[in-house]
Amino acid sequence: MIEDIRATTSEAERLVDAASTLDELARVDREVLGKGSALTGFKRQMGGLEPDARREVGAALNEARAALEAAVAARRAALAATAQREQAEAERLDLTEVRAGRDAGHLHLVTQAIEELEDVFVGLGFTVAEGPEVEDDWHNFTALNFGEYHPARDMQDTFFVGLGGDREVVMRTHTSPVQIRVMEEQAPPIYSVMPGRVYRNEATDATHLAVFHQLECLVVDRGITFGHLAGTIDRFTKAYFGPGWTSRLRPSYFPFTEPSAEFDLQRPDGTWLELGGCGMVHPNVLANCGIDPEEFSGFAFGFGLDRLAATRHGVTDLRELASTDIRFLEQF
Amino acid sequence: MKVLSSWLHEFLDAPVAPEAIAAAFDDLGTPVEEETRLGEGLDGIVVAEVLALAPHPNADKIQLVQVDAGDGEPLQICCGAFNMAVGDRVPLATLGTTMPGGMHIERRKLRGEWSNGMLCSAREIGLGDDHAGILVLDGGPSLGTPIAEVLGIEPDVLWELEVNPNRPDAMSVAGLARDLAAKVGVGFRLPSPPAVVPAGEPVTWASGGAGGRQGATTSAGTPFAAEIAAPDGCGRFLARVLTGVDPSAPSPGWMQRRLIDLGMRPISALVDISNYVMLELGQPNHPYDLAKVGGATLRVRRARAGESMTTLDDVERALTVDDLLITDGDDVPVGIAGVMGGADCEISAATTDVLLEMAWFDPTTISRTSRRLGLRSEASARFEKGVDPAISELAADRFCQLAAEICGGSAEAVQVDVRATLPARPPVLVRTARVNALLGTDLEPARIAEVLAPIGFSTEPQGPDHLVTIPTWRYDSATEIDVVEEVARHHGYRHIPNRELTEPRSGRLTERQLERRAVRRLLCGLGLAECQPLPFLAPGQLAAAGLDPAGIELVNPLVAEESVLRTALLPGLVAAVAHNHARRQLGVGLWEIGHIFLTPPEGQTLPDEREHLGVALAGREAPAAVEVWQVLAELLRLERPAVVNAQLPGLHPTRAAEVLVAGERVGSVGEVDPAVLDRHDVGERVAILEVDLGALHRAARRSPAYRQISRFPSSDIDLAFEVPDGVSAIEVERTLAGADPLVWAVRLFDVYRGEPVAAGSRSLAYAVRLQAVDRTLTDAEVADARARLIEAATGVHGAVLRG
């Protein structure tokens, strides 16, 4: 009987090794180890044996069962590994063929410039103020000390809007009306910057836009001096452009500041960039906003953003900034 | 304003190097825009005589000119001008010359013929703009003489300066010289022509009068007069008579060259002298032909309503009662005061006797008239900044001096000098402490007086302060701050030390600004590109986009295509998609954040201006835009965001919805109306979202409170309802979410239309996850919750549970 067990086991092992799929192995498993298997049959026959023989046969059966179970497990592991390999092979991907259906999106280069500048000024302790693009004469001109027939009005070619009385409503020609709105609404101390879109009725070309962007900085507090103006411009210059940059002020004229100046920045290579205008807030402007010019003083400076933004990317024709062509937009 | 170094030096008592002058102008607020070195590059240009002219064998527009430059050797030149004749003396740029414009003259072949130099036009040697032909030299200068010697050209420097409205004094050579002299520390002196009449009462800001009429009689017994009938418009009117002028005398070359250099055209001796005096002293003036001035009287009055006159440029100008007129004694208008004269009394080739006007006109009046008529002249540019009312007499003397030298005019030793209203410029108290407080300086009172004195601001000490008298050439200055600026300018901006802001303060963006940035980042994250089209639309563009055609219009647009303020971002975005579509750039995803402008509400002047967000998804259907909205709503934690199907202008008739937050309308979503796309030649669908960012910012937000996560297993149930089409899916979802406290999440996972669902309804299937934080739910609890969910959907929306 021991011999029969050995033969049966050996035959069963052959069947296990021959199983080529997991399903087939499961069938073989039932066949050689299940209730109807030859091994189970031998076990049933054990009852009629002598105790010694029974012990021997029992040991042989246990041994055979253990061997077969191990063989099935080994075969199962081998087949599973093969199946996984085949599955993996079947689902092979060439990842170099992947192209994103969408990209990271694009902020307009002017928006990028505005955000960067805002961040620099926030870092310097300023808040950001905003205002409407269509303005009344008071905020755009009169409160800023532009007399009704002052020649300075000609410095800014104005789009007039068909609302209100003659020349009463305009597309704002600068972001300075936001200064007025801030000073009307808020008592000093004021430390604010005002970015925004402005409009000039001027023929456009590669270096001039009728619709462009400015950023102004306004400080009103006790004891503010022209020295603070120059110092703040210099601080901003180094923060935004870099530590190797310096600034200088040259006399100029704006109705809403006095003394007034242009400010130029010097690049580390020694060349100059004429950036914007500035000055001490004119006492009339403070008074127009209900601020006592004897108690408070202030300064303002401002500049155009579009050229800065365009230059950084080598855009030589500013008119491109209004382009809606995706080939332009997706570069930034 | 242009100015010559040589002219400036007539008023300086020591030479100043061109580099120092240019640097000083930059520091004085009259920066150099352009510098031109004159009289340089003329070394190789000499006088030559035209010996012969012959056609070029191979070219029509060039002729062959044989010239002799003094060495007796004929030289062949190819020349494109035909205005010279044999025997003419002309400037020849010899070989090796580098021209003022930088061109290098070499021997070269033109169409097969040798050219051994270049004959020069006036412009080519830096004499004005005349480039019509070769400059033919008068007076038979010797051959081979350097042209600079023949024309009396000395090396000089010409600067074009930027002059701001607050610098009336910088509109004259003398005024610029005064400012410059003060800056560089040399002396300044005005010209001192012989006085024609004994000095009268000096003119100060306080020396005005009442106007009226004043007459005088010439030595020949001819009476003449001036009258100010508008004392608030004309502060001073000085008139003189010159007789015996030789109308054929030309102005001298030096004067013509200076006029040309400063941008004026030489006309005739008297006109040139008039312009020369204006440029030199800043006093616009007008010589009339005395014989043509009715009653030999000049009168200043306001124009009458409906009156008009024809100006020198032959244009009839309609006038208003605000304009100032010069009339003659018969009340015939002879000029618009301070702006432009008329043709009738102009001096001509027959003029021998001159009535000379030197006046001071009110800047506002001149500015207003000049702007209204769109008529700018050298005179108006000066009057509107404010001419020096005290300079008239000196200017008249200078005119008479030059006229006597140049055209033999003899000045009558009488004048009329009518005074009327001059602006009040009382002395200003300038507080030393205030100067230093504004500038951040530590200037001593003496230093303040020291910098002001050379520019004519005279100071009288008042304790530590000064009483400052404003000079008559500084109409712009009237207050303490004006004087502070002069102190800063002449002390030097570069000498004011930088200071740091020290006031404690905190910078940050507002919630609105932070949200706007978050929205931008979200849209970028969705792979979309920001664009910034112009906010101006063409007439009809609103209608073409299917919107209400009424938009606010610009009064003076640059071009008609940019004349209407947008009332929505939709038209610009559709145009942007169309632009890309036309270039086979399909499927673009664009967005814009910008202002839109609606008709002002009742009682308000300014438009209802709003900040909108617009998103256009080309090649996508409406749900894509709704998804953008939903993600946006999630980002901003909006309370009960919803879309409600609706018919909206510009949007697809059956694929559009209003966008709501907590029941308030904040925008629209859907697809662009196919008719609109047709009009824009867009052949792909365009999903679109437009929302009012201001409204979003103000809209209700979900509580930021945290909801505790359960450690116990959840239970999922699926519920499918038949819901009428009119009921929004999101509302059903929200009802389910609120129907039982055990509901953790509700998700719409299937929508089905068709049999067996009744027409006009659809099946909405929701997966509901139930959860308690403190226990595992029992089957009974789940069943109860399910019953409440069904009851709610049925009760609130008339939904029917599907079997």
Side-chain angles (χ1 to χ4, degrees), chain B residues 13-38:
Chain B
D13 69 0
V16 183
E19 296 72 24
I21 293 177
F25 279 140
D26 277 347
D27 285 350
L28 286 167
T30 43
V32 174
E33 290 184 325
E34 196 180 344
E35 177 179 294
T36 313
R37 301 275 171 155
L38 301 178

Side-chain angles (χ1 to χ4, degrees), chain B residues 27 125 129 211 337 404 446 596:
Chain B
D27 285 350
I125 50 180
D129 287 333
I596 61 108

Side-chain angles (χ1 to χ4, degrees), chain B residues 367-420:
Chain B
S367 169
R368 194 175 347 191
T369 298
S370 154
R371 283 157 62 106
R372 207 195 69 249
L373 296 176
L375 196 56
R376 314 301 308 271
S377 63
E378 293 282 342
S380 72
R382 286 170 175 77
F383 281 124
E384 71 178 20
K385 287 189 172 73
V387 163
D388 178 0
I391 200 79
S392 317
E393 199 142 10
L394 177 65
D397 285 345
R398 184 75 169 130
F399 189 107
C400 294
Q401 177 192 30
L402 291 168
E405 285 172 12
I406 293 166
C407 49
S410 156
E412 291 291 329
V414 288
Q415 68 179 16
V416 293
D417 183 5
V418 189
R419 312 271 180 94

Side-chain angles (χ1 to χ4, degrees), chain A residues 12 37 43 63-64 84 107 134 139 144 178 192 229 240 258 281:
Chain A
S37 67
K43 194 169 185 179
E63 190 183 324
Q84 280 168 4
L107 278 186
V134 177
H139 289 93
L144 287 161
V178 187
S192 284
L229 166 63
Y240 183 72
E258 190 163 16
V281 180

Side-chain angles (χ1 to χ4, degrees), chain A residues 102-111 114-116 118-119 121-122 124-136 139 148-155 158-165 167-169 171 181 189 191 197 199-204 210-211 213 219 221 223-232 234-235 247-253 257-262 280 282-283 293-297 299 321-327 329-330, chain B residues 26-31 162 164-166 322 363-364 367-368 371 376 384-385 431 434 436-441 476-477 479-485 488-489 493-494 496-510 512-513 516-517 520-521 523-536 552-558 562 565-566 572 575-577 579-580 583 585 588-595 597 599-600 605-607 609 611 620:
Chain A
R102 65 172 56 146
D103 56 24
H106 306 280
L107 278 186
H108 195 274
L109 74 177
V110 168
T111 304
I114 289 177
E115 289 194 354
E116 281 176 40
E118 285 174 348
D119 289 346
F121 280 103
V122 166
L124 294 174
F126 288 78
T127 57
V128 178
E130 296 164 12
E133 294 174 12
V134 177
E135 269 292 7
D136 50 30
H139 289 93
E148 194 183 350
Y149 292 99
H150 197 288
R153 288 204 173 199
D154 292 342
M155 291 165 76
T158 308
F159 283 116
F160 295 100
V161 176
L163 290 172
R167 294 179 168 234
E168 193 180 335
V169 180
M171 302 306 296
R181 291 184 178 275
Y191 293 82
R197 191 178 245 176
Y199 300 81
R200 298 280 172 90
N201 190 356
E202 291 171 350
T204 58
V211 181
H213 299 79
V219 168
D221 204 345
I224 297 298
T225 69
F226 193 88
H228 289 116
L229 166 63
T232 306
D234 207 57
R235 174 75 38 211
S247 58
R248 75 171 174 202
L249 272 54
R250 288 180 293 121
S252 187
Y253 170 78
T257 52
E258 190 163 16
S260 299
E262 303 281 348
M280 298 299 291
H282 198 287
E294 289 288 319
E295 184 180 358
F296 294 99
S297 55
F299 68 71
L321 296 180
S323 168
T324 54
D325 196 305
I326 192 70
R327 292 169 296 177
L329 302 173
E330 70 187 5
Chain B
D26 277 347
D27 285 350
L28 286 167
T30 43
E162 182 189 335
N164 282 310
N166 67 329
D322 291 331
T364 300
S367 169
R368 194 175 347 191
R371 283 157 62 106
R376 314 301 308 271
E384 71 178 20
K385 287 189 172 73
R431 296 163 291 171
R434 176 78 170 156
N436 287 321
L438 284 170
L439 299 183
T441 49
D476 63 290
S477 294
T479 59
E480 186 182 32
I481 192 71
D482 298 324
V483 182
V484 171
E485 180 170 60
R489 211 165 58 84
Y493 282 12
R494 65 179 72 221
I496 298 174
N498 283 8
R499 293 191 172 198
E500 295 288 332
L501 294 172
T502 51
E503 176 73 16
R505 60 196 189 278
S506 46
R508 62 160 298 159
L509 297 177
T510 62
R512 171 90 182 258
Q513 290 157 353
R516 185 192 294 130
R517 285 194 176 192
R520 287 176 184 152
R521 292 299 175 290
L523 295 164
C524 284
L526 295 172
L528 309 178
E530 185 190 10
C531 60
Q532 293 189 355
L534 289 185
F536 299 144
I552 298 166
E553 290 177 19
L554 294 181
V555 174
N556 55 339
L558 275 173
E562 298 165 10
L565 297 187
R566 61 186 176 187
V577 168
H579 168 95
N580 284 291
R583 286 155 185 80
Q585 289 149 199
V588 296
L590 302 174
W591 59 278
E592 181 188 6
I593 290 177
H595 289 211
F597 309 89
T599 311
T605 310
L606 293 182
E609 186 172 334
E611 186 181 41
R620 306 290 301 279

